[in-house]
Amino acid sequence: MKSTSKPQGRLLYAQSGGVTAVINATAAGVIEAARAKGVAVYAARNGILGALREELIDTGKETKAAIAALRHTPGGAFGSCRYKLKSLEAHRAEYERLIDVFRAHDIRWFLYNGGNDSADTALKISQIGKALGYPIATIGVPKTVDNDLAVTDCCPGFGSVAKYTAVSVAEASLDVESMCESSTKVFVIEVMGRHAGWIAAAAGLAARKAGDPPHVILFPEIAFDEDKFLARVQRTVARVGYCTVVVSEGVKNAAGQFLAEAGTRDAFGHTQLGGAAPVIAQLVKSKLGYKYHWALPDYLQRSARHLASRVDADQAYAVGKAAVEYAQKGMNAVMPVIVRTSDKPYRWKIEPASLEKVANHEKKLPPGYIAKDGYGITAAARRYLGPLIRGEDPPPYGKDGIPDYVRLRNVRVKKKLAKYSIEDK
Ligand code: F6P
């Protein structure tokens, strides 16, 4: 498609925050839907930073096949960022710059694809059109592996990380079980989710019947109790010979400190999050003497497109498509959210929700999803989580055995404005 200047203006799409295995499926949904309507799409390089710096990419220079291949390519095809806008009162110049960029490139719709912080950015931008006198409609588009956005039933990106986690826990547990009599007795795997235990809970789907691994899940919603935990591990080893432990990176002790910050350091000497597994493993070793292994999948879990959930990839695409439809209908300050209409069979639809209801709210795991003993998930959690990991959507593989992921050309749009340096502001 040619990206000649359209009379009705252009749409600007940007990706924000930690990426997911399917955020590019949303980009494909946005670009394909806009192309179908004859609307040109620019993408900002590295999220809102690219919009401020006037670093724009002309997606019209990409082939149809390249855009279609975004659906099965992980990472953020246009680059992402963590950057929080201040309020209009606190930093008016920044918003004026955004409007200058929008005006210079005839941007009439801004689609911001991200999690909690990004919904806040989208909300702020949705209010500046009126305040600064330029017609710009802003739509927030959901994405986060953490699954902690309010209103939406689930977040694109979560179903795939949930599937990767459940499958990995099942597979690794078979490994540990094989040699537990004479070797490793405790395996600890750490999952993302700084404040909410959705990914940790999804690990519970690996267990098809009572007693199956994982034997212990440590949620950020429950304060860590060392004695109770150790007793549980010991009992499990006595019963089945080994113990698989899932620990959320966000687990805290009774004093509210993250485990990895509780005066201890992980094997790398880090006190940052992303070190709860080695802390737990060391504790098991020093108090119970068991041989352990621990794993920190870290970015592997949120980029594992080869193991994406079909439902998740479909939903990621659908929110992108819906965002373009809302923009074209003249909506502002909304987000397409996923509404579950039935559990069995699983059915869902997309509806617009007010950005105000989404931004700055964090959805934690409900108490009814955590088993009474605090170490597992309930039937209600299974009912909610189960459908989200269903179906496979593997990428095409090359002859070399590696998936054929696309790298876009990302042709830059010629700048029209004076240089703007965020670092100087
Ligand atoms: O975007 C969510 C998330 O994946 C969290 O679960 C994780 O704690 C965080 O991002 C990591 O952020 P970063 O990639 O910026 O270090």
Side-chain angles (χ1 to χ4, degrees):
M1 189 181 109
K2 272 195 152 179
S3 63
T4 47
S5 183
K6 302 270 171 193
Q8 75 269 41
R10 291 191 182 89
L11 185 148
L12 181 64
Y13 167 76
Q15 302 177 322
S16 173
V19 294
T20 76
V22 296
I23 186 172
N24 287 332
T26 302
V30 166
I31 297 167
E32 289 181 350
R35 284 184 176 189
K37 289 178 189 300
V39 176
V41 178
Y42 281 177
R45 184 174 173 270
N46 296 341
I48 196 68
L49 294 175
L52 286 164
R53 294 180 178 135
E54 202 193 358
E55 290 175 354
L56 308 179
I57 292 159
D58 185 355
T59 71
K61 305 284 188 211
E62 308 294 342
T63 63
K64 200 172 165 202
I67 297 303
L70 282 177
R71 181 181 156 114
H72 65 249
T73 301
F78 307 108
S80 186
C81 72
R82 290 206 191 276
Y83 184 78
K84 205 166 165 75
L85 289 179
K86 297 195 182 82
S87 67
L88 179 60
E89 299 72 45
H91 207 165
R92 194 180 174 92
E94 198 159 45
Y95 292 95
E96 285 171 348
R97 167 69 181 187
L98 278 178
I99 295 290
D100 286 348
V101 173
F102 293 163
R103 185 178 282 117
H105 295 277
D106 199 17
I107 305 293
R108 297 300 173 92
W109 304 282
F110 179 54
L111 269 48
Y112 209 39
N113 195 180
N116 270 311
D117 292 340
S118 320
D120 175 70
T121 302
L123 179 63
K124 284 176 172 141
I125 296 175
S126 73
Q127 294 158 347
I128 60 170
K130 222 175 182 179
L132 301 180
Y134 178 79
I136 179 80
T138 302
I139 314 283
V141 193
K143 165 250 57 164
T144 172
V145 293
D146 289 350
N147 202 39
D148 59 355
L149 283 176
V151 187
T152 188
D153 180 68
C154 60
C155 302
F158 171 67
S160 295
V161 78
K163 188 178 184 93
Y164 174 88
T165 301
V167 171
S168 302
V169 164
E171 290 175 342
S173 297
L174 286 173
D175 183 310
V176 180
E177 187 181 349
S178 313
M179 209 166 47
C180 63
E181 187 189 339
S182 55
S183 185
T184 299
K185 290 210 170 4
V186 175
F187 175 62
V188 185
I189 176 168
E190 176 171 337
V191 295
M192 285 182 164
R194 191 166 271 255
H195 300 129
W198 294 102
I199 304 176
L205 294 175
R208 286 191 164 136
K209 53 177 181 12
D212 279 355
H215 307 102
V216 181
I217 303 177
L218 300 173
F219 300 97
E221 285 84 358
I222 308 253
F224 181 66
D225 178 332
E226 190 176 307
D227 293 342
K228 200 175 143 209
F229 164 74
L230 289 168
R232 168 82 175 219
V233 171
Q234 200 166 28
R235 270 203 314 276
T236 307
V237 173
R239 188 166 47 86
V240 290
Y242 73 102
C243 181
T244 297
V245 178
V246 176
V247 57
S248 166
E249 65 177 0
V251 169
K252 292 180 178 156
N253 62 20
Q257 294 165 300
F258 286 112
L259 276 196
E261 286 182 350
T264 45
R265 286 176 182 267
D266 69 18
F268 303 112
H270 299 147
T271 51
Q272 72 175 83
L273 284 197
V279 170
I280 291 290
Q282 274 299 340
L283 181 69
V284 165
K285 175 76 188 161
S286 63
K287 296 287 169 68
L288 302 176
Y290 296 140
K291 181 180 176 199
Y292 65 80
H293 270 245
W294 57 265
L296 210 168
D298 198 65
Y299 282 2
L300 301 183
Q301 68 198 284
R302 71 179 200 200
S303 61
R305 184 60 185 78
H306 65 287
L307 206 53
S309 138
R310 174 79 202 215
V311 164
D312 190 33
D314 286 347
Q315 292 178 340
Y317 186 90
V319 292
K321 185 167 175 261
V324 172
E325 282 157 13
Y326 298 167
Q328 289 288 292
K329 281 186 188 155
M331 294 172 143
N332 183 39
V334 293
M335 171 178 275
V337 296
I338 296 156
V339 177
R340 182 183 297 227
T341 55
S342 153
D343 271 327
K344 264 188 181 174
Y346 176 56
R347 289 208 185 95
W348 54 275
K349 62 179 182 179
I350 307 284
E351 268 181 7
S354 158
L355 262 183
E356 238 159 20
K357 293 205 170 123
V358 181
N360 304 312
H361 298 282
E362 204 171 36
K363 189 166 73 184
K364 300 256 175 87
L365 204 58
Y369 282 11
I370 303 176
K372 277 212 179 70
D373 64 9
Y375 293 132
I377 58 170
T378 60
R382 282 179 183 283
R383 213 161 34 243
Y384 168 77
L385 294 164
L388 305 182
I389 69 164
R390 282 195 203 137
E392 290 71 47
D393 190 34
Y397 281 74
K399 284 207 184 89
D400 58 359
I402 302 293
D404 279 329
Y405 293 137
V406 69
R407 287 202 83 94
L408 298 183
R409 293 173 66 213
N410 280 348
V411 175
R412 293 293 183 86
V413 175
K414 201 166 179 298
K415 291 191 179 192
K416 297 183 177 181
L417 302 171
K419 191 168 180 266
Y420 180 91
S421 166
I422 286 153
E423 294 69 30
D424 299 344
K425 307 292 157 189

